[in-house]
């Protein structure tokens, strides 16, 4: 279809594709670090208030208001304060943060500098997914430039404020994308999530106040300081300021990372010429996962909804980490859920019984149904197992320390809610109506 979606002013991706966009010279030529210059003339609390007024919400999954999160850090703590950047982008269907690190890392670094000055942080760790070797190298090169330019180090653009920044690569564990597991990993421990409270803002890294922010979240901060909170807030909706990056994958003609407005709908993202450019010839949309594989799936008749936190919440799903996965009418929903469930079974840290026992149980049941060996009662058993991990709806009532249990159970609940007829067809026909799966054997447990 022709382009009908409302035009979006790019904020994060404006420089992507320009020559040497990842270098300090290129970034400064575009007004880079102007936001930091303004921030250094302000009181720290005024910076936090500006971010609050912008309605910037976290871009890592939960969508928590960023300024509010910053305000939780105690101002009178005698302990050092830390900033941890969550670049452990491991959610299936999500691949936006790596583009920031590859194309414009200084935008994130400026956000780090502003946040650190506002919070009184003198040490920042950028925690990146273990597989991000190239992205880590590019980020480190940008940090080296920032030190040479007097942005990081003993002073910040001439201001008597020291900030040191370090890149740390994980070992490829999905669980370390959970903020407290990330902190455990930074401390050199096994990446097991912590009980909350206490929350990281009070007791975080090394037992000290810590803010954990996503890469895109911090990259969104410099434009707010450079152009003002009101400008940024007006780009979005009442409760969600700015634009955001979404990752479009699956059965579309042009998958990719796109910067969209909070008003942009899933249908526009799939079909509009400036985004996905429609479905492959002869195919129709069957379902869409709107926020990474942990987000509850939507049916084809539910897609005229904005890619925005509150709008998707009304559909009992979530914007999550921005991973929009499109499935067409040739897709087997049992097989798709089996693949999603297997991922979470593999990535469970094993700390909590419902997750440790429930995720492989889901996977075994789904494999049994998909291979035509399902029995009466298996679908209800699958639903019961998912409910034991995390009831649904609403989202967020899980029985585990962290949200990985929710992430494993929510797809099961939503697939069964919207596509139960396919599960029943597998039992009735004692085979997969969509043909044999191409993966081969995964072992007895899977």
């Amino acid at each position: 279809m022709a382009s009908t979606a409302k035009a979006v002013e790019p904020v994060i991706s404006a420089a992507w594709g320009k020559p040497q966009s990842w270098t300090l010279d290129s970034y400064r030529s575009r007004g880079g670090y102007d936001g930091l210059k303004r921030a250094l003339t302000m009181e720290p609390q005024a910076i936090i208030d500006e971010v609050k007024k912008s309605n910037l919400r976290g871009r890592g999954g939960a969508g928590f208001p960023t300024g509010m999160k910053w305000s939780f850090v105690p101002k009178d703590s005698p302990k050092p304060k830390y900033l941890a950047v969550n670049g452990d982008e491991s959610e299936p269907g999500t691949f936006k943060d790596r583009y920031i690190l590859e194309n414009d890392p200084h935008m994130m670094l400026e956000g780090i500098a502003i946040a650190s000055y506002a919070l009184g942080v003198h040490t920042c760790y950028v925690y990146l997914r273990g597989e991000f070797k190239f992205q880590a190298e590019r980020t480190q090169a940008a940090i080296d430039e920032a030190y040479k330019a007097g942005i990081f180090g003993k002073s910040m653009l001439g201001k008597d404020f020291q900030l040191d920044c370090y890149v740390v690569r994980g070992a490829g564990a999905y669980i370390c994308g959970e903020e407290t597991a990330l902190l455990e990993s930074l401390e050199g421990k096994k990446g097991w999530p912590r009980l909350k409270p206490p929350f990281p803002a009070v007791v975080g890294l090394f037992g000290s106040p810590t803010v954990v922010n996503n890469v895109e979240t911090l990259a969104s901060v410099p434009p707010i300081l450079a152009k003002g909170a009101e400008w940024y807030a007006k780009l979005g909706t009442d409760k969600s300021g700015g634009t955001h990056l979404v990752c479009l994958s699956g059965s579309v003609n042009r998958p990719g990372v796109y910067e969209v407005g909070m008003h942009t709908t899933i249908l526009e993202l799939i079909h509009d010429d400036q985004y996905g450019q429609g479905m492959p010839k002869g195919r129709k949309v069957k379902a869409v996962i709107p926020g990474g594989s942990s987000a509850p799936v939507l049916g084809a008749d539910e897609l005229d909804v904005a890619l925005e936190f509150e709008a998707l919440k009304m559909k009992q799903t979530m914007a999550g980490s921005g991973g929009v996965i499109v499935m067409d009418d040739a897709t087997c929903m049992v097989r798709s859920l089996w693949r999603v469930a297997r991922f979470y079974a593999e990535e469970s840290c094993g700390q909590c019984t419902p997750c440790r026992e429930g995720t492989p149980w889901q996977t075994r049941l789904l494999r049994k149904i998909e291979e035509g060996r399902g029995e009466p009662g298996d679908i209800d058993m699958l639903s019961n197992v998912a409910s034991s991990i995390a009831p649904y709806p609403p989202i967020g009532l899980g029985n585990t320390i962290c949200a990985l249990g929710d992430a494993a159970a929510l797809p099961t609940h939503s697939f069964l809610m919207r596509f139960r007829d396919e599960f029943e067809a597998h039992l009735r026909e004692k085979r997969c109506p969509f043909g044999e799966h191409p993966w081969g054997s995964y072992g007895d447990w899977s």
Side-chain angles (χ1 to χ4, degrees):
M1 64 184 276
S3 183
T4 59
K6 183 179 177 182
V8 174
E9 178 182 357
V11 177
I12 301 294
S13 63
W16 293 5
K18 293 183 178 180
Q20 302 291 305
S21 63
W22 53 89
T23 64
L24 179 59
D25 287 344
S26 173
Y27 188 61
R28 279 184 155 166
S29 72
R30 297 178 264 117
Y33 290 102
D34 285 353
L36 177 59
K37 291 175 184 176
R38 182 190 171 212
L40 293 175
T41 68
M42 301 167 64
E43 291 296 320
Q45 185 59 48
I47 299 171
I48 296 173
D49 291 341
E50 189 83 351
V51 174
K52 281 184 178 179
K53 287 187 289 186
S54 74
N55 290 332
L56 172 63
R57 296 174 67 166
R59 302 294 196 249
F64 195 82
T66 304
M68 185 178 295
K69 191 174 192 179
W70 290 4
S71 69
F72 293 156
V73 176
K75 296 179 175 60
D76 55 353
S77 174
K79 297 181 178 181
K81 301 169 186 174
Y82 295 98
L83 175 63
V85 183
N86 190 343
D88 190 72
E89 187 176 48
S90 304
E91 177 83 359
T94 309
F95 42 92
K96 61 184 177 62
D97 290 343
R98 71 194 69 183
Y99 277 76
I100 297 172
L101 300 172
E102 291 173 14
N103 291 284
D104 212 353
H106 278 283
M107 199 167 196
M108 177 192 70
L109 297 186
E110 184 178 5
I112 287 171
I114 293 168
S116 297
Y117 181 71
L119 297 167
V121 166
H122 298 287
T123 305
C124 171
Y125 295 96
V126 181
Y127 187 97
L128 301 182
R129 178 178 173 179
E131 293 86 348
F132 282 6
K133 183 176 185 294
F134 172 69
Q135 292 84 356
E137 291 171 349
R138 183 151 284 181
T139 301
Q140 185 60 59
I143 290 172
D144 293 342
E145 288 184 311
Y147 270 101
K148 289 179 182 178
I151 299 163
F152 292 163
K154 293 184 178 180
S155 65
M156 184 180 287
L157 295 180
K159 188 88 170 183
D160 185 19
F161 188 88
Q162 181 169 344
L163 176 60
D164 290 302
C165 186
Y166 305 95
V167 173
V168 179
R169 283 172 62 196
Y174 170 79
I175 192 64
C176 289
E178 195 277 335
E179 62 177 7
T180 62
L182 183 153
L183 298 179
E184 288 286 292
S185 180
L186 275 175
E187 292 180 2
K189 304 172 187 174
K190 180 188 293 186
W192 272 16
R194 300 173 179 174
L195 284 168
K196 294 184 285 189
F199 293 93
V202 179
V203 181
L205 190 62
F206 309 121
S208 299
T210 305
V211 166
V212 183
N213 280 147
N214 168 260
V215 169
E216 185 187 350
T217 307
L218 287 165
S220 302
V221 171
I224 293 170
L225 271 294
K227 298 186 178 182
E230 290 186 6
W231 164 81
Y232 189 83
K234 287 179 180 178
L235 292 176
T237 58
D238 289 343
K239 294 185 178 181
S240 303
T243 61
H244 66 135
L245 300 176
V246 294
C247 317
L248 182 62
S249 64
S251 188
V252 291
N253 286 324
R254 193 174 73 157
V257 179
Y258 299 104
E259 186 165 2
V260 302
M262 295 294 180
H263 50 263
T264 304
T265 68
I266 296 175
L267 282 177
E268 289 172 335
L269 180 68
I270 294 171
H271 295 290
D272 198 90
D273 278 355
Q274 62 183 313
Y275 304 128
Q277 297 182 355
M279 305 288 290
K281 188 175 181 179
R283 300 265 65 92
K284 296 179 181 179
V285 180
K286 183 177 190 176
V288 171
I289 298 174
S293 63
S294 59
V297 70
L298 295 174
D301 59 345
E302 301 176 282
L303 304 183
D304 191 17
V305 58
L307 286 158
E308 185 268 329
F309 301 101
E310 300 303 321
L312 288 170
K313 186 178 179 181
M314 295 293 290
K315 295 281 187 179
Q316 297 180 351
T317 186
M318 54 190 179
S321 54
V324 180
I325 305 170
V326 182
M327 292 173 274
D328 64 29
D329 52 0
T331 303
C332 172
M333 303 308 287
V334 176
R335 188 182 304 168
S336 298
L337 180 58
W338 174 22
R339 189 65 192 89
V340 170
R342 182 172 183 265
F343 171 81
Y344 290 108
E346 287 185 339
E347 295 296 339
S348 171
C349 74
Q351 185 176 186
C352 305
T353 302
C355 189
R356 182 182 65 248
E357 303 298 329
T359 53
W361 193 350
Q362 285 192 139
T363 308
R364 289 192 297 269
L365 285 167
L366 285 163
R367 178 178 184 174
K368 184 181 177 185
I369 295 169
E370 168 62 13
E371 293 182 345
R373 298 181 288 109
E375 302 172 90
D378 280 349
I379 296 175
D380 289 337
M381 175 68 76
L382 180 61
S383 178
N384 289 337
V385 171
S387 294
S388 297
I389 302 171
Y392 170 80
I395 294 171
L397 297 178
N399 297 316
T400 51
I401 290 173
C402 84
L404 190 142
D406 299 67
L410 293 178
T412 299
H413 285 302
S414 62
F415 273 65
L416 288 176
M417 183 183 299
R418 292 176 170 89
F419 298 99
R420 188 181 179 100
D421 58 329
E422 282 198 23
F423 290 78
E424 292 173 345
H426 280 69
L427 265 62
R428 186 171 56 252
E429 299 181 25
K430 296 192 177 301
R431 67 182 184 90
C432 175
F434 294 86
E436 293 185 7
H437 65 82
W439 306 326
S441 177
Y442 281 143
D444 291 342
W445 71 273
S446 61

